[in-house]
Amino acid sequence: MKFVSTLLAATCAFGFNAFAATSINLSTYQVTGNYTLDANPGNGVSGLEASAVTFARDRGTNGTLFFVGDEGTGVIEVSLTGQTLSTMSFSGGSNLGWPTTSSNRDSEGLTYLGNGVLVVAEERLQDAFRFSYVAGGSVNLATAPSASIGSGSVGNNGLEGLSYDPRNGSFVSVKQAVPQAVLGGTLDFSTGASTMGALFDPALLSVASLSDVQTLSPVTALAGTDGADNLLILSLDSRRLLEVTRSGQVLSSLDLAGITSQAIEGVTVDDLGNLYLVAEDSGTANSRLFVLAAPVPEPETYAMLLAGLLLMGATTQRRRSKK
């Protein structure tokens, strides 16, 4: 009966997707929220061209989100419904604190390490910068601990996404194109050393570009299962979100074309399995936050499920008693 109670608890927490334990099944997800992101949240930080988003479980009652825009002016903390909570600017002279070689300040990757610590990635330099978030404060990234994920400046086809795996402190990143790349490994911000290497051939994904990546290990219902190893990979140009294994097998996908005409650039996931997408303003007045969730089965469906599980448990118990 212990098996039955454990399986039932996981199913109630995460819907029928928990049954598989190998996939969250993106095809079941639906948009449950569509929110405007503040274009001018203050402190000299712009909320336009939202390009990356990350979930912070240990902040607020249910967690918060951080996002950053292409202008590289700073990072913004918002509620799970897009309300601005605070900002932190990148500052330090005419280049806003980025290294002087980063004339474009293309902040395309953002991930949360816990305890208020963030890592922001610059696309063209393919470098990642670690700093502690201070509401209303500022950080000079040119002097922040950093690590290089790729060699040299690669223009506007470089590092597009970065995600942290809290299970072992490793990272996963994606390079947009020419060539595409999905990398995994460690980053040592004290020495700048990196062990990031290719996980699989991105041609297996059959998408036009790679725009962001998110590990699924933070999802509570996947803890201890094969599904915790899976990745979400976003393609702006193909307007698709993929759930893939670390060997490149596509497990499920979601067509994003019907969600918005704005360019969806970033994805993250919370501990309940809800998805958060950020889209650039794309000629409109504001960037946007979209929340997606898998439908929760109706109470009568749970009742049928419970009956089935109890029957399974009783059958298993009888078989054990006969041995």
Side-chain angles (χ1 to χ4, degrees):
M1 294 300 290
K2 181 179 180 181
F3 164 77
V4 174
S5 60
T6 301
L7 183 57
L8 179 61
T11 303
C12 291
F14 198 52
F16 281 135
N17 290 334
F19 256 124
T22 57
S23 171
I24 63 170
N25 192 3
L26 288 173
S27 65
T28 66
Y29 275 75
Q30 300 173 357
V31 176
T32 58
N34 179 353
Y35 307 102
T36 299
L37 294 173
D38 192 352
N40 297 290
N43 198 25
V45 180
S46 171
L48 297 175
E49 294 189 58
S51 60
V53 62
T54 188
F55 175 69
R57 179 65 190 91
D58 59 2
R59 296 179 69 88
T61 303
N62 299 310
T64 66
L65 302 170
F66 290 98
F67 81 93
V68 69
D70 282 343
E71 294 92 344
T73 55
V75 64
I76 304 165
E77 184 175 21
V78 299
S79 70
L80 301 185
T81 54
Q83 297 169 310
T84 299
L85 301 175
S86 63
T87 64
M88 184 175 186
S89 63
F90 301 147
S91 60
S94 60
N95 208 42
L96 298 181
W98 291 87
T100 54
T101 50
S102 174
S103 58
N104 296 90
R105 306 190 304 273
D106 277 348
S107 47
E108 291 284 355
L110 187 69
T111 193
Y112 185 69
L113 308 190
N115 297 314
V117 179
L118 291 160
V119 175
V120 63
E122 208 277 352
E123 176 181 13
R124 298 168 188 249
L125 299 180
Q126 302 186 88
D127 288 343
F129 305 86
R130 188 187 67 192
F131 62 97
S132 293
Y133 184 82
V134 178
S138 64
V139 59
N140 186 336
L141 294 176
T143 60
S146 64
S148 181
I149 296 175
S151 59
S153 179
V154 294
N156 201 31
N157 289 304
L159 180 59
E160 278 282 327
L162 181 68
S163 187
Y164 177 68
D165 191 332
R167 297 176 302 174
N168 55 18
S170 65
F171 293 85
V172 179
S173 69
V174 291
K175 183 178 178 295
Q176 180 177 338
V178 198
Q180 295 179 358
V182 182
L183 309 175
T186 60
L187 297 173
D188 188 332
F189 292 96
S190 61
T191 65
S194 166
T195 66
M196 301 291 282
L199 292 179
F200 56 84
D201 181 357
L204 294 170
L205 306 180
S206 299
V207 290
S209 64
L210 305 180
S211 305
D212 203 1
V213 63
Q214 169 65 51
T215 64
L216 285 177
S217 56
V219 178
T220 302
L222 295 180
T225 73
D226 292 341
D229 278 334
N230 295 345
L231 307 172
L232 295 177
I233 294 184
L234 173 68
S235 174
L236 166 62
D237 294 316
S238 293
R239 302 184 73 78
R240 297 195 69 78
L241 182 64
L242 306 176
E243 179 191 11
V244 307
T245 67
R246 299 208 181 198
S247 61
Q249 178 188 2
V250 177
L251 299 175
S252 66
S253 66
L254 181 64
D255 185 352
L256 304 178
I259 293 180
T260 180
S261 60
Q262 294 174 228
I264 298 176
E265 287 264 24
V267 61
T268 193
V269 66
D270 67 17
D271 54 329
L272 299 178
N274 299 310
L275 305 179
Y276 302 86
L277 306 174
V278 289
E280 293 185 348
D281 44 302
S282 301
T284 68
N286 297 90
S287 295
R288 303 202 69 81
L289 170 69
F290 297 93
V291 183
L292 290 80
V296 177
E298 297 295 329
E300 56 268 26
T301 305
Y302 274 128
M304 293 175 62
L305 172 63
L306 176 59
L309 290 174
L310 290 174
L311 179 60
M312 288 170 56
T315 301
T316 301
Q317 187 63 35
R318 283 197 300 270
R319 288 174 178 173
R320 289 177 177 172
S321 298
K322 292 179 180 179
K323 292 182 179 180

